[in-house]
Amino acid sequence: MLRSLVGSEMCIRDRALLEHPALTSLNLAYNRIRDEGVCALASMLEANFHLKSLDLSETWTADRGLIALGVALSSNTVLSSLSMTNNHISDDGGTAFVALLEKNKSLQQCCLKGNSMFHCTVMQASKLAARNRHIKAEEVPNRLRKEVIKLHYQRYKLEEAKSELQNQKAEKMKIDKAQEEFESKFAADAVSYTHLR
């Protein structure tokens, strides 16, 4: 976890650090990075495939920073936890963020408490996060169901192949028996032909 980095210039200077695969959680709470720093982080989130948790509580962020995060999260498929508590975000900024969050399917925890937005806006963000948690919880059972269906299909095909093999064995036995009968009849005919001569 990376904690206590100060200033928006940190976001640009440490871009390589923030894109490092080992960095999965970033806590910048209580640092005054403001909208400039959050916007820089948001631009990195669009291409980041490792960061799962981001805490920007009490970072003096306003509407512009939150909307920039919303734009980034509409394409980010990794970040699962975001905390933006106790910032300077209005209901207009929160509403715009929630509208952008509709496209996101990975954010499972989103805390916007302590901002200047209506409770219903905070709850909409929480509902979207709950929807994503539900989708994530269903992924494993759905994947398992698909695997079970595949296994049933393979079992069905195996039974079908066994049945076909048994039919071919029975057919081969009939052919072998007919061939034996033919050969024995041919041998008998050959013997009777030689006796006639």
Side-chain angles (χ1 to χ4, degrees), residues 62-78:
D63 293 351
R64 197 179 87 198
L66 184 65
I67 291 169
L69 280 174
V71 169
L73 288 174
S74 65
S75 62
N76 181 289
T77 58
V78 179

Side-chain angles (χ1 to χ4, degrees), residues 58-157:
E58 298 190 37
T59 52
W60 290 47
T61 305
D63 293 351
R64 197 179 87 198
L66 184 65
I67 291 169
L69 280 174
V71 169
L73 288 174
S74 65
S75 62
N76 181 289
T77 58
V78 179
L79 193 73
S80 60
S81 177
L82 174 66
S83 180
M84 293 291 294
T85 59
N86 300 321
N87 279 296
H88 305 286
I89 304 164
S90 72
D91 191 60
D92 290 339
T95 303
F97 175 74
V98 167
L100 290 164
L101 203 57
E102 282 284 341
K103 297 176 186 174
N104 181 283
K105 302 291 185 235
S106 65
L107 194 65
Q108 298 174 37
Q109 298 289 330
C110 183
C111 190
L112 299 174
K113 295 177 183 175
N115 287 289
S116 301
M117 60 181 80
F118 295 124
H119 179 71
C120 63
T121 306
V122 173
M123 291 309 298
Q124 282 179 313
S126 295
K127 283 180 184 177
L128 289 172
R131 172 203 69 186
N132 293 346
R133 281 194 304 276
H134 178 72
I135 290 169
K136 192 72 169 173
E138 288 293 313
E139 277 182 5
V140 172
N142 284 341
R143 209 173 317 132
L144 289 176
R145 273 189 220 111
K146 287 178 183 175
E147 288 298 318
V148 167
I149 289 169
K150 235 190 260 185
L151 287 173
H152 281 297
Y153 179 73
Q154 288 173 349
R155 185 175 175 190
Y156 166 76
K157 288 306 243 180

Side-chain angles (χ1 to χ4, degrees), residues 2 24 56 89 146 152 163 169:
L2 182 60
T24 59
L56 297 173
I89 304 164
K146 287 178 183 175
H152 281 297
S163 175
K169 280 181 180 178

Side-chain angles (χ1 to χ4, degrees), residues 167-179:
N167 290 341
Q168 287 183 359
K169 280 181 180 178
E171 203 57 40
K172 186 179 182 314
M173 287 175 66
K174 284 181 188 176
I175 291 171
D176 288 347
K177 188 175 180 182
Q179 186 176 357

